[in-house]
Amino acid sequence: ALDFDEPAEELRMVDGKTYKGYPVIDSRRSVDGRQQLVVLGSGWGAVSILKTLAPDAYDVVVVSPDNYFVFTPLLPSVTVGTVEFRSVLEAIRRVTKRIRGSYIEATAVDVDLDEKYVLVEHAGEGKAWLPYDRLVVGVGAQSITHGAKGLEHCHKLKTITDARTIRQHIMANFEKAVLPTTPVEEKRRLLTFVICGGGPTGCEFAAELYDFLAEDLKHYFPRSIQEMVNVVIVQSRDHILNMMDSVISEFAESEFDRRNINVITNSRVQQVTADAIVFSTTNPDGSVVEHTLPQGFVLWSTGISLTPFTKLLCQKMPESQKNMHAITTDPYLRVKGIADGSIYALGDCASIEYPHLLSHIGELFDSAHQDKSKEITRDEFSSFVRQTAARYPSAASHLQSLVDNFDNFDTNHNGTISLDEFEHMLEHVDSKLTALPALAQVANQEGVYLGRTLNKLALLYASSELPDKGSPELAKIAPQEVRRMERDAVSPFTYHHRGTLAYLGRAAAADFGEGKTYKGSNLAAKYLWRSVYWSQQVSLRTRILLMMDWTKELLFGRDLSRF
């Protein structure tokens, strides 16, 4: 390896010190008083922070049960051998070395908000407290059950272990189905693959499975076996990929129909057994019909919920954390309810609290018109939008759309906006403000933002523009005032949507927002989709490995081995 830098020093316990019955880890390596930054997780948000942080800005410790980062958008490709496992992995120690950080293979199980300790546990063997000055929670989320029973019979697709298990299960089913001793009905059951959830993960897995069948298995398995394969997507909404433009949803459904992938919409899974799935379908007339479908494989991909640690964290702040599915943060990604703003959350486990502009209608209306009139002119409104967008950056694009549609909201066409018309405007903006989607690009942008924010705060403390952590001046300042000072020193997070991609089996689609879409059903679309993900790799190593995998797949096909 062409890396000759020394690794970080070994972490040790503080001699003779315990807290609540557990030892305390000595994670401070510097003597210049820099703050201790603990990052929980090794996903998109955490890695983006680590790649953005300046070296020696903080004493950094990463805590995660997995010592690698997974490029999750390519996990469906891993399940069928299009891409090999290690081509989507990057060791966390490679990422932390640049900033001279440390890594602990453990899971966070508790946190003491008053003393600023997080309790970590390695594989159920031993626990220890890890002190922090700033804590970043990026532990992701777990799948939501929606009340369905028997999910222990389902696969999930969130980790590399999940992808490996799915790959083994697929090949095991085909090998068992081709045995002469297997009855015909059992063959049909084994070769029925059900995907619960019509989001990007479910659709891309169905597409990769189709490619595997159409491009590889057809050359090595009897035609009679191929004809028994049945791929089914069960979707609770009226369209798949419903988070994307309706044009994309309709295109995806037509592509799947052309490839004999059965899409069942307006259906909810009630129960999954070892050999069947029970779901109910709502007909156009409102009647509900229950169906039982024999299956040999089920993938559960239907939304996310809190992990045990994030749930515990929220329970410690019941007045501030009322979201049942994610940690609520402010626009600066600071966890609501932490007085000094020392805990941040990002990625799938977090949700930014959006402003309810309508609740501030009086204040906003008064700030919009400059004289004592009861109407807002066009120029006054444009000025108001600029000021309010700076105050609420998450609503900036929607506020700007009000300027573009001024005449539509001016119902009496007098060239000004009355209070009633202003109310309709704010209602429109509030209705457009929804939680950011659980996408890799969201977590990536949040991580880059937070890394830059932490860099700036470290510089401000180092230059004494903000009071030093150990200074007597800081000890006299209330935690809320520290939070305000840091907030005023940085800008809030603004998300820039760069498009949502979906691979559909020899076809691809993209939604860029505001009605801008791309659809392609050819090799060009397929390789355009691949090129985007290739460019987003976190290292040159994984870029080279991906190029090698795609070349091998093109020349020799996918590997059919089961190991």
Side-chain angles (χ1 to χ4, degrees):
L2 302 177
D3 187 350
F4 306 106
D5 294 334
E6 285 293 318
E9 295 180 7
E10 179 185 2
L11 294 177
R12 302 180 184 276
M13 297 296 182
V14 179
D15 291 338
K17 184 175 182 179
T18 62
Y19 181 70
K20 294 184 178 180
Y22 298 110
V24 177
I25 299 172
D26 183 6
S27 59
R28 186 176 298 283
R29 297 181 301 278
S30 61
V31 295
D32 57 2
R34 79 177 69 135
Q35 294 187 333
Q36 294 171 285
L37 174 66
V38 174
V39 180
L40 305 182
S42 57
W44 278 95
V47 167
S48 298
I49 292 173
L50 299 174
K51 289 179 70 65
T52 309
L53 279 175
D56 299 325
Y58 296 87
D59 283 339
V60 180
V61 179
V62 180
V63 179
S64 174
D66 302 315
N67 72 342
Y68 52 81
F69 160 77
V70 182
F71 192 86
T72 50
L74 288 178
L75 276 180
S77 298
V78 175
T79 62
V80 295
T82 306
V83 171
E84 291 301 324
F85 302 108
R86 295 197 178 277
S87 301
V88 298
L89 302 180
E90 185 68 22
I92 283 298
R93 292 187 182 275
R94 288 180 182 271
V95 182
T96 59
K97 187 175 183 180
R98 183 189 65 84
I99 55 173
R100 290 178 276 280
S102 298
Y103 166 74
I104 299 176
E105 187 178 73
T107 303
V109 294
D110 199 1
V111 60
D112 189 312
L113 302 178
D114 297 323
E115 296 298 323
K116 293 191 174 182
Y117 283 142
V118 59
L119 186 64
V120 300
E121 179 181 29
H122 171 71
E125 295 178 1
K127 297 180 180 178
W129 290 103
L130 179 63
Y132 68 87
D133 293 310
R134 297 183 188 273
L135 177 67
V136 178
V137 182
V139 296
Q142 61 185 9
S143 298
I144 194 169
T145 66
H146 293 295
K149 300 176 181 178
L151 296 191
E152 64 272 13
H153 301 294
C154 301
H155 290 278
K156 299 178 178 64
L157 189 51
K158 287 186 172 294
T159 67
I160 202 69
T161 303
D162 295 337
R164 185 190 297 272
T165 305
I166 289 171
R167 186 168 174 176
Q168 293 172 340
H169 193 157
I170 292 171
M171 288 312 304
N173 280 18
F174 274 95
E175 294 296 353
K176 186 175 181 180
V178 82
L179 291 174
T181 55
T182 305
V184 174
E185 286 306 311
E186 178 66 3
K187 292 176 187 282
R188 295 186 185 280
R189 183 190 71 80
L190 288 169
L191 299 178
T192 298
F193 299 88
V194 181
I195 298 103
C196 301
T201 300
C203 289
E204 290 189 348
F205 172 74
E208 291 284 357
L209 184 58
Y210 168 80
D211 284 354
F212 189 37
L213 301 173
E215 298 173 0
D216 297 277
L217 294 184
K218 74 174 185 179
H219 298 299
Y220 303 101
F221 282 83
R223 182 177 295 276
S224 58
I225 292 296
Q226 299 173 37
E227 292 172 351
M228 293 183 185
V229 175
N230 183 23
V231 181
V232 181
I233 298 176
V234 180
Q235 166 71 332
S236 60
R237 304 289 183 88
D238 55 353
H239 289 286
I240 59 174
L241 297 177
N242 58 287
M243 77 293 299
M244 300 174 75
D245 193 283
S246 59
V247 173
I248 300 294
S249 298
E250 293 168 3
F251 173 72
E253 289 168 3
S254 67
E255 288 295 313
F256 283 166
D257 182 62
R258 195 157 59 89
R259 291 167 171 75
N260 294 319
I261 296 175
N262 187 14
V263 178
I264 303 174
T265 56
N266 296 314
S267 300
R268 287 193 173 275
V269 176
Q270 305 297 326
Q271 184 178 5
V272 181
T273 65
D275 56 7
I277 181 171
V278 180
F279 62 93
S280 59
T281 301
T282 304
N283 294 323
D285 61 1
S287 61
V288 178
V289 180
E290 189 172 281
H291 307 271
T292 300
L293 176 67
Q295 54 81 16
F297 173 96
V298 178
L299 174 68
W300 188 265
S301 177
T302 61
I304 57 176
S305 63
L306 292 169
T307 64
F309 177 77
T310 51
K311 187 179 296 183
L312 180 146
L313 179 61
C314 291
Q315 289 171 350
K316 292 178 179 288
M317 300 168 286
E319 294 301 317
S320 303
Q321 299 293 329
K322 298 180 181 180
N323 189 334
M324 300 298 292
H325 302 292
I327 301 171
T328 303
T329 72
D330 67 9
Y332 301 84
L333 305 187
R334 300 177 301 184
V335 174
K336 299 278 288 185
I338 303 299
D340 63 353
S342 59
I343 300 182
Y344 305 84
L346 75 172
D348 291 355
C349 69
S351 178
I352 299 173
E353 184 178 57
Y354 284 106
H356 296 285
L357 299 181
L358 197 58
S359 62
H360 304 285
I361 184 171
E363 172 194 348
L364 294 175
F365 187 77
D366 290 340
S367 67
H369 56 83
Q370 300 171 358
D371 53 28
K372 296 183 179 181
S373 67
K374 296 182 179 180
E375 302 279 326
I376 303 173
T377 65
R378 188 184 296 269
D379 291 340
E380 289 175 340
F381 187 75
S382 297
S383 177
F384 160 78
V385 165
R386 287 193 297 271
Q387 295 172 6
T388 309
R391 180 178 175 185
Y392 303 111
S394 57
S397 61
H398 303 299
L399 286 167
Q400 184 57 46
S401 70
L402 298 181
V403 177
D404 300 334
N405 295 279
F406 185 92
D407 294 332
N408 295 334
F409 288 99
D410 180 16
T411 53
N412 58 6
H413 306 294
N414 65 347
T416 60
I417 296 295
S418 65
L419 180 60
D420 288 341
E421 293 167 341
F422 189 72
E423 181 179 357
H424 292 150
M425 285 180 156
L426 298 188
E427 284 178 349
H428 173 78
V429 174
D430 284 346
S431 68
K432 296 293 183 180
L433 292 175
T434 58
L436 295 177
L439 298 174
Q441 66 171 303
V442 174
N444 178 62
Q445 289 187 36
E446 289 177 337
V448 171
Y449 160 81
L450 191 51
R452 291 171 177 168
T453 295
L454 292 171
N455 285 341
K456 185 173 183 179
L457 291 176
L459 287 174
L460 291 175
Y461 278 109
S463 63
S464 299
E465 292 186 45
L466 289 175
D468 183 70
K469 176 192 168 188
S471 69
E473 180 185 352
L474 184 63
K476 299 176 184 178
I477 302 175
Q480 293 85 349
E481 181 63 15
V482 174
R483 182 186 180 104
R484 185 198 62 77
M485 292 167 61
E486 291 187 351
R487 181 199 67 197
D488 293 345
V490 298
S491 302
F493 171 71
T494 303
Y495 173 63
H496 301 284
H497 185 63
R498 298 193 175 101
T500 305
L501 294 174
Y503 179 62
L504 304 171
R506 300 185 184 180
D511 182 1
F512 300 103
E514 299 180 355
K516 300 175 182 177
T517 60
Y518 166 80
K519 309 184 297 295
S521 185
N522 48 43
L523 279 177
K526 176 178 180 177
Y527 284 98
L528 175 63
W529 174 81
R530 286 184 174 182
S531 67
V532 171
Y533 284 147
W534 181 85
S535 69
Q536 294 176 349
Q537 294 301 303
V538 298
S539 71
L540 176 62
R541 168 189 162 274
T542 53
R543 285 192 179 98
I544 293 174
L545 289 175
L546 278 179
M547 291 173 63
M548 293 171 62
D549 287 344
W550 286 331
T551 302
K552 285 190 299 180
E553 182 256 331
L554 180 64
L555 296 177
F556 309 112
R558 296 168 181 83
D559 183 17
L560 305 183
S561 305
R562 180 165 69 95
F563 56 89

